[in-house]
Amino acid sequence: NAGVTQTPKFQVLKTGQSMTLQCAQDMNHNSMYWYRQDPGMGLRLIYYSASEGTTDKGEVPNGYNVSRLNKREFSLRLESAAPSQTSVYFCASTLGTGAEAFFGQGTRLTVV
Amino acid sequence: KNQVEQSPQSLIILEGKNCTLQCNYTVSPFSNLRWYKQDTGRGPVSLTIMTFSENTKSNGRYTATLDADTKQSSLHITASQLSDSASYICVVGARGGGYNKLIFGAGTRLAVHP
C-alpha cells in the first residue's frame, strides 16, 4: 500500500537549472497538492489540483508550474531554479474537501 | 488573515511523562481542525480531525480538544514514549474554494528523553 510517492528524495540544483518533481498516489483521490516547508514556518501551498484536468495557484506559486498528468500523477516543475526555492517539498492527496490529507515523504531540494 | 499559532516551539520531556501542546487559530470560515505528527525526514501523518461540533477526539495515547468559541485546541500526549519524538503540527481547514484549504502551524518540536 504505497499511498503517496514522491521522487526524487534529494536534489541539488545550480541556479538557473530546471527540474520536475514527480508525485503519484494510488488511493484514487480526486485532489492533489504541492506544498513547501521552510524552517520555522508552516507548510505553504504552491499549487493544487481539485480534480483531474484542473490546476490552480496556491499561496506561493511564483517560479513553479504544475501538470496533472492523470488522476494518479501531479508533477511540479521549476523552470529556472533560484536559491529562494531551497526547501522541502511535499505532495499530498485527499479524496475531497474536508477529507484526510495523505502526504508523501518529501523532496529536499537545495539550489546553489 | 488566516493564522495558526502553536506553543511551545519546542519541548523536552522524560519518557513516561504527559505533555500538552497548544494551538490558537484565526481562520474563517472554519471547517475542521487537524493534528499531524511529522517524524524527522518524513511527511506529516494525520492523528486526529475534528469538526466544529466535536470538542474532543482520541487516537490511542493522543487526545485532541477543540474550543471553537475561543478558537483554541490542545493535543495531550499520555505516558510518552521515545517514538513520540517528532514535530506536531496543528492544521486548520477553511471552508470554501472547492478544495481542501489547509492553514498550517509551524509545529511544536517534541523530544522525549529516556
Side-chain angles (χ1 to χ4, degrees):
Chain A
N1 210 3
V4 179
T5 303
Q6 289 182 235
T7 55
K9 286 197 167 82
F10 301 95
Q11 184 72 49
V12 178
L13 288 179
K14 293 182 179 177
T15 298
Q17 286 185 318
S18 63
M19 79 162 295
T20 299
L21 282 63
Q22 306 286 353
C23 175
Q25 52 91 10
D26 62 1
M27 296 171 283
N28 202 34
H29 284 173
N30 296 315
S31 304
M32 297 185 73
Y33 308 80
W34 276 105
Y35 294 92
R36 60 179 287 171
Q37 186 175 38
D38 298 296
M41 302 179 69
L43 274 73
R44 292 180 292 168
L45 182 63
I46 305 171
Y47 269 92
Y48 67 95
S49 170
S51 61
E52 186 179 358
T54 70
T55 61
D56 283 287
K57 295 178 180 179
E59 185 184 354
V60 288
N62 290 347
Y64 306 95
N65 284 302
V66 290
S67 295
R68 184 75 183 265
L69 304 168
N70 47 55
K71 192 170 186 179
R72 290 187 63 249
E73 298 172 289
F74 188 39
S75 63
L76 177 72
R77 182 159 179 86
L78 287 71
E79 290 292 352
S80 179
S84 60
Q85 293 178 305
T86 293
S87 188
V88 182
Y89 292 84
F90 287 99
C91 177
S93 71
T94 67
L95 189 57
T97 57
E100 183 175 345
F102 293 83
F103 288 83
Q105 299 288 335
T107 296
R108 185 173 293 274
L109 174 67
T110 302
V111 183
V112 297
Chain B
K1 181 182 175 184
N2 289 328
Q3 279 189 309
V4 177
E5 303 283 345
Q6 292 187 243
S7 61
Q9 277 189 312
S10 61
L11 182 63
I12 300 173
I13 62 173
L14 293 177
E15 187 179 12
K17 298 296 186 184
N18 304 336
C19 68
T20 301
L21 314 179
Q22 301 292 343
C23 173
N24 296 328
Y25 63 91
T26 53
V27 175
S28 181
F30 176 89
S31 175
N32 54 72
L33 188 141
R34 308 151 183 242
W35 283 93
Y36 284 83
K37 179 185 180 188
Q38 184 176 21
D39 292 314
T40 301
R42 309 293 292 269
V45 175
S46 178
L47 293 175
T48 62
I49 300 178
M50 290 182 289
T51 60
F52 187 88
S53 59
E54 297 173 294
N55 55 22
T56 186
K57 184 165 271 191
S58 292
N59 178 357
R61 293 178 298 99
Y62 301 101
T63 299
T65 65
L66 172 63
D67 186 334
D69 291 332
T70 62
K71 296 187 168 66
Q72 295 180 324
S73 176
S74 65
L75 180 70
H76 186 74
I77 304 174
T78 303
S80 60
Q81 301 177 357
L82 297 179
S83 59
D84 292 331
S85 295
S87 286
Y88 292 85
I89 304 174
C90 176
V91 184
V92 180
R95 222 194 324 268
Y99 70 103
N100 241 341
K101 184 172 183 178
L102 302 178
I103 296 91
F104 290 76
T108 292
R109 184 175 297 276
L110 174 66
V112 181
H113 289 182

